[in-house]
Amino acid sequence: YKFPSAPDSLVANFIEAFNGLDVDKFTDDLLDADLFRFKQLFADPHGPQGDWFYADEVVFLENLFSQEAFVNELGATVPGISSLSLFLDGSVSAWVESDDVDSPDCWRREFLVTLDVVQPGQILAIRNSVYIYVSRETVELEGEDAWFYRIAGIVEMESALKGTDDSTWGSLRAQYR
């Protein structure tokens, strides 16, 4: 992993940790525990209902990355995954200061999402776009001040880029919570 001194290096670490099923990297370095939020900008009957914060994200990541079947909070048995593959394409926009009241003092960028989650007998194909919000703090690195970026939020937007089964990041989160 690279030191996240810029938003792009943070996103590269996010992709590497997600594809590597590395929940510790998320909890130790990637997610801003004070600011993290996930939300959807559209009605998703299969997505999380209500607020979704850091603790919810940690439970989701632990369950998804465990690769073991489990019973979710709704009492449904959820299969363990055998693999996943995430790609984020940030070429659609640049980093800009956030004007979102939920993410003050943050930067955001739109990314096109390609996420394939392999479960027994099926592949969930998520194709949409998200805003990723990043926060930053000053830390000391080799005796000098440096920026340290963390993921402050993910906002999923409704998109024409539908997967084969209309899965969303929100529905995946709700399933693995």
Side-chain angles (χ1 to χ4, degrees), residues 30-39 51-57 98 100-107 132-137 148-155:
L30 295 178
L31 299 179
D32 187 320
D34 296 324
L35 294 178
F36 185 84
R37 289 181 63 131
F38 172 82
K39 65 181 178 179
D51 294 327
W52 183 278
F53 295 105
Y54 174 82
D56 303 299
E57 191 73 358
S98 169
D100 188 327
V101 296
D102 291 329
S103 300
D105 302 320
C106 291
W107 293 76
I132 293 182
Y133 288 79
V134 299
S135 61
R136 67 183 183 189
E137 63 181 294
F148 188 91
Y149 285 84
R150 294 183 193 271
I151 303 289
I154 299 173
V155 175

Side-chain angles (χ1 to χ4, degrees), residues 52-168:
W52 183 278
F53 295 105
Y54 174 82
D56 303 299
E57 191 73 358
V58 172
V59 170
F60 157 68
L61 293 168
E62 288 173 341
N63 289 338
L64 181 68
F65 292 174
S66 77
Q67 298 182 282
E68 301 288 332
F70 72 101
V71 177
N72 71 12
E73 66 179 15
L74 301 175
T77 300
V78 179
I81 65 166
S82 54
S83 66
L84 57 76
S85 174
L86 171 66
F87 177 73
L88 298 174
D89 177 1
S91 66
V92 295
S93 72
W95 289 103
V96 297
E97 285 187 74
S98 169
D99 56 0
D100 188 327
V101 296
D102 291 329
S103 300
D105 302 320
C106 291
W107 293 76
R108 77 171 189 204
R109 184 176 188 178
E110 183 179 355
F111 290 85
L112 301 178
V113 176
T114 301
L115 174 58
D116 294 320
V117 179
V118 181
Q119 296 175 323
Q122 71 175 341
I123 298 174
L124 302 178
I126 298 171
R127 307 287 186 269
N128 58 12
S129 57
V130 296
Y131 282 121
I132 293 182
Y133 288 79
V134 299
S135 61
R136 67 183 183 189
E137 63 181 294
T138 304
V139 298
E140 187 175 315
L141 178 66
E142 299 174 0
E144 306 238 352
D145 285 346
W147 290 118
F148 188 91
Y149 285 84
R150 294 183 193 271
I151 303 289
I154 299 173
V155 175
E156 185 173 29
M157 297 175 281
E158 190 166 26
S159 175
L161 304 171
K162 292 293 183 185
T164 54
D165 55 8
D166 289 335
S167 293
T168 65

